Amino acid sequence: MGKLTDRVAIVTGGAQGIGKAIADKLAAEGATVVVADVNGEGAEQAAPEGGRGMQVDISSEEAVRQLVDDTVDAYGKLDILVNNAAIVPFKAWDEVDFAEWRRIMAVNLDGTFLACHYAQKPMREAEYGGSS
Ligand SMILES: NC(=O)c1ccc[n+]([C@@H]2O[C@H](COP(=O)([O-])OP(=O)(O)OC[C@H]3O[C@@H](n4cnc5c(N)ncnc54)[C@H](O)[C@@H]3O)[C@@H](O)[C@H]2O)c1
């Protein structure tokens, strides 16, 4: 029995890279993992057994609200949120135009805020990952 048995987790940006490794590790410890990624196909492929993948753009308030609602509907609660998704432009700052800058802020900042905002209530109710 893993130390996360009966825990329910959301990992944003879990279709590949570090997020996928986090999802796999959480599942190996017994958690049920929902992989949420803008790459829906990748999320479904990466979702560990017993969990699910969802196509979610974390910069969308409606999509994040739906992610949390669907997770709680499906698994009864939410214990763990991993805010992993982000976009990083591998170029000099002065090559980033304003539209790209806004998109980076929308995903990296708004997305992290939205995930915390909608996850905090069920997490507090689960009395595991949330503070009082
Ligand atoms: N790789 C590194 O060396 C490194 C170093 C420091 C920090 N980080 C951070 O770790 C995290 C993961 O890094 P990585 O290298 O695995 O990144 P990655 O680019 O390989 O994976 C990021 C994932 O996030 C998803 N994603 C992008 N925009 C999204 C959105 N709007 N909604 C939902 N999902 C979205 C992508 O589809 C992808 O699956 C990032 O936050 C990154 O900034 C990475």
Side-chain angles (χ1 to χ4, degrees), residues 12-20 36-39 56-60 83-88 90 103 106-108:
T12 68
Q16 66 179 51
I18 295 170
K20 182 176 185 318
D37 201 292
V38 71
N39 172 4
V56 179
D57 179 346
I58 59 161
S59 70
S60 158
N83 282 305
N84 166 79
I87 49 176
V88 180
F90 287 99
R103 180 65 186 156
V107 174
N108 298 5

Side-chain angles (χ1 to χ4, degrees), residues 28-118:
E29 294 290 350
T32 299
V33 182
V34 176
V35 171
D37 201 292
V38 71
N39 172 4
E41 204 173 303
E44 279 171 31
Q45 283 166 7
E49 203 180 322
R52 62 166 63 173
M54 281 183 69
Q55 202 273 328
V56 179
D57 179 346
I58 59 161
S59 70
S60 158
E61 180 174 14
E62 176 54 25
V64 174
R65 192 190 57 72
Q66 195 71 54
L67 163 67
V68 173
D69 283 356
D70 286 359
T71 299
V72 174
D73 283 351
Y75 304 111
K77 62 175 180 161
L78 176 62
D79 298 289
I80 297 164
L81 168 66
V82 180
N83 282 305
N84 166 79
I87 49 176
V88 180
F90 287 99
K91 57 171 105 161
W93 77 270
D94 55 355
E95 291 169 7
V96 175
D97 65 21
F98 189 55
E100 188 177 6
W101 173 254
R102 290 308 322 156
R103 180 65 186 156
I104 294 165
M105 294 299 117
V107 174
N108 298 5
L109 297 185
D110 296 352
T112 300
F113 168 81
L114 288 169
C116 291
H117 180 75
Y118 284 101

